[in-house]
């Protein structure tokens, strides 16, 4: 739980205010204390405050701006006690007796008890959602601002409480709970759609409307089978990387667009509102979502930074409220705060409403991961250390620490961390596999085999231990033993992707990859949304000359993970080989854009460009591959042809010679070399 003071840069509502535009904000994260704006802010603390006690502007300082707006709205706001059985039964199959029993459990002096029960938590979600909808509709009725921002937290909360109860029934779910709650998530999505419809109906018909989420949620066969979605401290296990982005209104071009980053939202909103974009913003304006004339009309101006706006002085540090404790209890029930830090999180300033400082293990661990991604290694180390001081065996922080050691050329330290993680007994999937990779990278394969054999003895039947050992024997060129271990890993977990991919490479070297088809088909029965298995099935079917089937699976993999460059490279290569060169160029260009270091995509793109006569562009792709350290006969043969077509004969000769130095057994290349040498003589 963080406040508006945690923000290091101005929010959109600060920018719009400073630029003379009006703005209304409802429930946006990190909006408390409410800042002075040219409009209204209903902060994210308003509904939380209602559950613990009767709130007004005096009892919850800076809950809204202007401060008296909360009082004007107070009579129309509700608490969970106002949610009726009839409302709850639109979502869950609960009897009147069950409802009354669960409502009687609520002890208002201990917020966590209310959130621990799914029915009571549902009533709080419904009450909070209704309150913010009431505020949003009230503000629209008073006059629509230049920018209105409304955040609904309900879908995230509902998924964390009920996604494991959705169809098809999971083994971890009792028959009775499934009967009661299997329809909650779907019903809430319909409810949220109706709320959105009401907002759009109340807005000016010419409004530009953007709908977005910060992530998606796993569902169906793709859900984790070991823990429910509210497991403490591990909410991300159930998050899906891809969320929702939709935009509608005047000037918008119908149809799909490529992946949108959260960082693209602010610059897009600024540009569409006629305001300049900051040079410091890493995102881009989504011009591809607009018709050409609308995109051309956008304000092209940029400014160096909006940071000078700062934070208004009147937002400087009022007392926090009991709403903080309510928020923490809610976040813990959703898995966002782990049990090891929960008491510490509530008691940072005495546990009675003191200001939240961010001194929690999740805060430091997440910040460390962000610094690591930005290659700010010193700051990452500082935050990892802070996280591990709070909870010494906190798994996410330990994994970040291991990655940090690898990034800073300290593999010995990384090995120690991985082994320590395994010793805690709290390791999650991927640790043993990563440890095996590191043993290979450091040339300590025999030591790794000895260590993982001991792990395997302690965890008989563990598929990941077999996978790790398979990698190590693979590195020793003992293919039969590696293959046996990969098969053992798949017997343990038929839905695992990595051992299947490793086994595919072994079988492909013998021309036997098609024999893997039944195993991959079984994995897709287990999880129809497995990107890796759709990709493998595409490659298998192509080897059987089933082009239509291969394309179907590769396209499905691309739909599930639009940014997976390897899948795009495979799809683009298939299209190129089947004569659809123009479409292949589009797909391969996307692949290279997603992963510039993808060798296969870049070389295949160069070849496809060459086929369409775009030889200079082909040369650029091939040369970029060479600059990145790639060397292969395919690369140099493509370069030779492109240089020949553009009349650069010496470079053509040089490329042919490099190709033959890598693989002398190429009769066609030798013939071309002799022909070019003859022409030059």
């Amino acid at each position: 739980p963080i406040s508006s003071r945690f923000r290091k840069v101005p929010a959109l509502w600060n920018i719009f205010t400073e630029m003379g535009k009006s703005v209304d904000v409802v429930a946006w994260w990190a909006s408390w204390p409410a800042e002075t704006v040219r409009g209204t802010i209903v902060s994210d603390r308003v509904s939380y405050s209602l559950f613990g006690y009767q709130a007004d502007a005096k009892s919850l300082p800076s809950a809204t701006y202007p401060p008296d707006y909360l009082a004007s709205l107070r009579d129309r706001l509700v608490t969970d006690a106002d949610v009726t059985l009839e409302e709850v039964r639109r979502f869950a199959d609960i009897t009147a007796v069950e409802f009354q029993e669960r409502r009687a459990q609520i002890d208002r002096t201990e917020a966590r008890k209310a959130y621990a029960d799914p029915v009571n938590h549902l009533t709080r979600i419904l009450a909070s959602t209704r309150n913010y909808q009431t505020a949003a509709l009230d503000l629209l009725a008073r006059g629509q601002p230049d920018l209105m921002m409304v955040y609904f937290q309900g879908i995230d909360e509902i998924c964390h409480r009920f996604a494991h109860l959705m169809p098809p029934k999971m083994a971890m779910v009792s028959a009775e709970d499934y009967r009661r709650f299997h329809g909650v998530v779907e019903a809430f999505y319909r409810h949220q759609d109706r709320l959105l419809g009401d907002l759009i109906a109340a807005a000016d018909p010419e409004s530009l409307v953007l709908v977005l989420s910060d992530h998606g949620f796993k569902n169906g066969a793709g859900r984790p089978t070991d823990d429910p979605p509210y497991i403490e401290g591990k909410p991300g296990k159930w998050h899906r990387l891809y969320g929702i982005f939709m935009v509608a209104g005047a000037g918008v071009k119908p149809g799909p667009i490529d992946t949108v980053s959260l960082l693209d939202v602010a610059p897009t909103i600024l540009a569409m509102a006629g305001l300049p974009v900051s040079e410091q913003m890493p995102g881009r304006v989504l011009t591809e979502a607009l018709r050409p004339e609308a995109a051309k009309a956008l304000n092209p101006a940029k400014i160096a930074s909006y940071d000078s706006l700062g934070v208004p002085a009147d937002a400087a540090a009022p007392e926090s409220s009991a709403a903080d404790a309510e928020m923490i209890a809610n976040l813990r029930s959703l898995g966002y705060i782990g049990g090891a830090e929960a008491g510490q999180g509530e008691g940072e300033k005495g546990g009675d409403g003191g200001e939240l400082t961010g001194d929690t293990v999740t805060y430091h661990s997440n910040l460390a991961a962000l610094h690591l991604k930005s290659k700010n290694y010193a700051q990452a180390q500082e935050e990892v250390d802070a996280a591990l001081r709070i909870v010494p065996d906190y798994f996410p922080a330990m994994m970040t620490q291991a990655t940090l050691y690898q990034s800073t050329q300290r593999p010995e330290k990384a090995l120690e961390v991985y082994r320590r993680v395994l010793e805690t007994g709290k390791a999650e999937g991927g640790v043993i596999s990563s440890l095996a990779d590191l043993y290979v990278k450091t040339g300590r394969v025999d030591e790794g085999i000895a260590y993982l054999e001991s792990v395997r003895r302690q965890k008989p039947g563990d598929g990941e231990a077999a996978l790790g050992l398979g990698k190590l024997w693979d590195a020793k060129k003992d293919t039969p033993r590696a293959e046996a271990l990969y098969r053992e890993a798949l017997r343990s977990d038929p839905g695992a992707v990595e051992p299947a991919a490793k086994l595919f490479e072994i079988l492909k070297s013998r021309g036997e990859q098609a024999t893997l088809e039944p195993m991959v088909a079984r994995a897709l029965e287990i999880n129809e949304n497995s990107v890796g298995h759709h990709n493998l099935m595409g490659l298998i079917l192509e080897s059987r000359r089933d082009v239509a089937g291969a394309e179907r699976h590769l396209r499905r993999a691309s739909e599930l993970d639009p940014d997976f460059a390897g899948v795009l490279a495979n799809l683009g290569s298939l299209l190129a080989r089947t004569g659809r060169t123009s479409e292949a160029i589009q797909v391969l260009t996307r692949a290279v854009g997603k992963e510039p270091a993808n060798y296969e995509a870049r070389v295949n793109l160069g070849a496809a460009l060459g086929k369409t006569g775009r030889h200079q562009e082909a040369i650029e792709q091939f040369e970029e591959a060479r600059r990145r350290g790639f060397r292969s006969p395919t690369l140099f043969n493509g370069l030779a042809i492109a240089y020949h077509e553009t009349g650069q004969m010496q470079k053509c000769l040089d490329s042919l010679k490099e190709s033959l130095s890598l693989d002398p057994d190429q009769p066609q290349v030798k013939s071309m070399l002799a022909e070019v040498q003859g022409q030059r003589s």
Side-chain angles (χ1 to χ4, degrees), residues 450-644:
Y451 181 77
L452 289 189
E453 283 290 5
S454 69
V455 171
R456 193 179 179 205
R457 285 192 293 273
Q458 295 167 17
K459 303 172 71 174
D462 184 272
E464 197 177 351
L467 168 63
L469 281 166
K471 288 182 172 184
L472 292 166
W473 286 109
D474 228 343
K476 286 178 72 73
K477 309 298 183 187
D478 190 335
T479 303
R481 193 173 299 195
E483 179 178 346
L485 286 160
Y486 294 146
R487 290 186 183 279
E488 179 184 328
L490 287 169
R491 283 194 296 273
S492 172
D493 183 3
V497 173
E498 194 173 10
K502 291 289 186 183
L503 186 56
F504 175 86
E505 292 302 324
I506 290 176
L507 295 173
K508 182 182 176 183
S509 69
R510 303 198 300 254
E512 299 173 3
Q513 62 266 46
T515 62
L516 197 59
E517 184 176 348
M519 200 176 292
V520 175
R522 169 66 181 134
L524 287 171
E525 288 175 6
I526 295 170
N527 180 7
E528 63 186 7
N529 293 327
S530 172
V531 176
H533 287 106
H534 278 293
N535 184 51
L536 285 174
M537 186 62 85
L539 297 175
I540 288 169
L541 293 179
E542 186 183 6
S543 74
R544 291 207 293 103
R545 293 183 172 81
D546 180 357
V547 174
E551 183 177 346
R552 185 174 65 254
H553 280 281
L554 291 174
R555 288 195 184 278
R556 180 59 180 149
S558 180
E559 289 169 3
L560 290 165
D561 190 346
D563 294 337
F564 194 159
V567 170
L568 292 170
N570 291 334
L571 176 59
S573 301
L574 175 68
L575 293 169
R577 283 192 288 271
T578 52
R580 289 169 284 176
T581 310
S582 296
E583 191 178 358
I585 289 173
Q586 292 179 349
V587 173
L588 292 168
T589 299
R590 284 190 65 227
V592 169
K594 302 296 182 188
E595 187 182 320
N598 188 299
Y599 161 74
E600 182 183 358
R602 196 173 287 279
V603 170
N604 286 334
L605 176 57
L609 289 166
K611 283 183 181 179
T612 59
R614 296 159 65 177
H615 301 298
Q616 189 54 48
E617 293 176 67
I619 289 170
E620 290 169 7
Q621 293 298 331
F622 290 134
E623 288 291 5
E624 179 61 26
R626 176 152 63 174
R627 279 192 292 273
R628 291 176 175 273
F630 302 124
R631 299 181 77 242
S632 79
T634 304
L635 167 63
F636 292 117
N637 293 341
L639 260 177
I641 293 170
Y643 279 132
H644 185 276

Side-chain angles (χ1 to χ4, degrees), residues 99-391:
F99 183 68
Q100 292 304 323
E101 287 176 349
R102 289 163 188 258
R103 298 298 299 162
Q105 293 172 4
I106 294 180
D107 180 351
R108 292 192 180 279
T109 63
E110 291 189 55
R112 74 179 63 185
K113 289 185 179 179
Y115 293 112
D117 179 83
V119 174
N120 290 333
H121 200 167
L122 175 60
T123 62
R124 295 199 164 195
I125 294 169
L126 292 173
S128 179
T129 302
R130 191 196 305 178
N131 286 335
Y132 289 127
Q133 178 79 346
T134 297
L137 290 172
D138 178 73
L139 292 172
L140 279 172
R142 294 174 183 231
Q144 185 170 329
D146 294 311
L147 173 67
M148 184 166 200
M149 303 170 63
V150 186
Y151 172 55
F152 290 101
Q153 191 173 328
I155 285 178
D156 183 72
E157 292 184 282
I158 286 289
C159 286
H160 274 290
R161 290 299 300 175
F162 299 100
H164 62 304
L165 298 162
M166 294 175 69
K169 181 182 174 302
M170 301 187 75
M172 71 173 81
V173 175
S174 70
E176 186 61 19
D177 278 349
Y178 183 75
R179 181 190 65 77
R180 287 188 181 114
F181 303 119
H182 71 273
V184 173
V185 174
E186 233 180 85
F188 196 86
Y189 266 94
R190 291 194 295 270
H191 178 59
Q192 186 65 70
D193 277 347
R194 286 190 289 270
L195 299 179
L196 177 58
D198 290 343
L199 286 179
I200 293 174
D204 187 316
E206 295 300 309
S207 300
L208 188 72
V209 180
L210 291 88
V211 179
L212 60 130
S213 68
D214 59 329
H215 60 81
F217 221 83
K218 293 178 181 176
N219 57 81
R223 294 172 292 181
T225 58
D226 47 353
D227 292 312
Y230 49 82
I231 190 70
E232 289 182 340
K234 301 172 185 177
K237 289 182 68 174
W238 281 72
H239 289 176
R240 184 170 182 262
L241 176 63
Y242 297 100
I244 288 293
F245 178 85
M246 295 182 283
V247 57
V252 174
K253 180 175 62 179
I257 59 173
D258 201 357
T259 311
V260 172
S261 161
L262 289 170
L263 297 173
D264 301 331
V265 176
T268 298
I269 288 174
L270 290 171
M272 290 179 172
L275 297 177
V277 175
S278 164
E279 297 278 7
Q280 289 186 331
M281 290 180 172
R284 63 192 176 85
V285 177
L286 300 170
T287 54
E288 68 269 30
L290 301 177
R291 298 183 189 277
E293 62 275 14
K296 190 178 293 186
L298 293 178
N299 182 358
K302 285 198 171 186
I303 62 172
S305 172
Y306 279 111
D307 287 1
S308 60
L309 298 181
V311 177
D314 60 1
E319 287 296 313
S320 183
S321 71
D324 288 339
E326 187 79 16
M327 179 180 276
I328 289 173
N330 185 43
L331 288 169
R332 185 194 300 112
S333 73
L334 301 175
Y336 282 105
I337 296 178
E341 66 177 313
Q344 171 264 343
E346 282 187 349
E348 286 164 345
K349 295 281 184 176
D352 57 353
E355 179 195 352
L356 293 167
T357 66
D359 191 24
T360 63
V361 65
T362 45
Y363 174 85
H364 290 296
S365 182
N366 291 341
L367 194 53
L370 288 169
H371 283 312
L372 179 59
K373 187 175 181 180
S374 301
K375 299 184 179 180
N376 298 324
Y377 298 131
Q379 295 96 318
Q381 185 70 64
E382 184 178 322
E383 296 299 336
V384 162
D385 291 344
L388 294 176
R389 279 196 297 272
I390 297 170
V391 182

Side-chain angles (χ1 to χ4, degrees), residues 5-25:
R5 280 163 288 159
F6 275 67
R7 296 199 318 269
K8 306 300 183 186
V9 295
L12 280 171
W13 52 84
N14 303 128
I15 294 173
F16 269 67
T17 293
E18 289 295 319
M19 301 302 284
K21 291 184 177 287
S22 57
V23 59
D24 288 339
V25 179

